[in-house]
Amino acid sequence: LVDSVLYVWRRHLLAALAGAATTDGATTEQAVGFVDIVQFTALSHQLEDDELGRVVDEFETAATDCVAAHGGQVVKFIGDEVLFTAPTLDVGVDIALGLVERPDGAPEVRCGLAFGPTVGLGGDVFGPTVNLAARLTSVARPGRVLLPHDLSEQLEGRDELVVKRVGRKYDLK
């Protein structure tokens, strides 16, 4: 019971903080990322309900901690996925890389990351940048961060990163 109460309280607190941090109708240039658990549907059929709840809770806790540690903002959780924002591309990349590094035994995740204008409404974010990040996530490989070609060029000066070009082109609209 205590775990359930803490879980609900944490979710309400995150929602309240996200709502307070967003100015309704304001347009902001920022990084937007989605991270989701790979093969979550198959995983949900393999695990007992309490074990599946533990996996989701550990993912949400790790995501919240990583995003906060880098100065980003968790916008919301959508099932097995987290939507986050970051003030700069570099911060967004650091968050994304932190989230795709998983502890042993944890399910793999994938991330799509975009940078550009977003509109904040009611603690949520909207716009083409958000849509692009979501579409990038859907085609990202497990354990990888996928971002548009023009953004990858901006990261070439970061020696600690290995930036690889995707061999095929995607029409993500």
Side-chain angles (χ1 to χ4, degrees), residues 47-171:
L47 299 177
E48 297 292 323
D49 290 346
D50 61 334
E51 182 67 13
L52 184 63
R54 185 190 60 74
V55 166
V56 171
D57 187 49
E58 287 176 358
F59 170 70
E60 290 182 355
T61 300
T64 301
D65 292 347
C66 180
V67 171
H70 287 91
Q73 178 183 342
V74 170
V75 176
K76 62 183 172 183
F77 290 98
I78 310 158
D80 67 317
E81 187 171 50
V82 61
L83 166 60
F84 69 88
T85 59
T88 67
L89 176 60
D90 282 327
V91 171
V93 167
D94 291 340
I95 291 169
L97 291 173
L99 290 174
V100 298
E101 291 179 18
R102 306 290 290 153
D104 290 339
E108 283 190 296
V109 299
R110 62 180 159 219
C111 178
L113 185 69
F115 185 87
T118 63
V119 176
L121 293 169
D124 208 341
V125 290
F126 300 91
T129 305
V130 178
N131 297 340
L132 178 58
R135 287 179 175 87
L136 287 165
T137 304
S138 70
V139 297
R141 291 186 178 165
R144 302 283 190 220
V145 177
L146 187 63
L147 40 94
H149 178 77
D150 62 322
L151 295 182
S152 67
E153 290 175 346
Q154 295 178 36
L155 299 173
E156 289 178 354
R158 288 186 57 177
D159 294 334
E160 78 278 14
L161 298 180
V162 176
V163 178
K164 295 181 180 180
R165 304 273 188 249
V166 175
R168 61 182 153 156
K169 294 186 181 209
Y170 294 96
D171 181 14

Side-chain angles (χ1 to χ4, degrees), residues 20-45:
T22 302
T23 305
D24 279 354
T27 300
T28 305
E29 288 272 324
Q30 59 187 342
V32 176
F34 282 91
V35 177
D36 78 346
I37 298 174
V38 176
Q39 298 292 318
F40 183 75
T41 301
L43 184 65
S44 69
H45 293 297

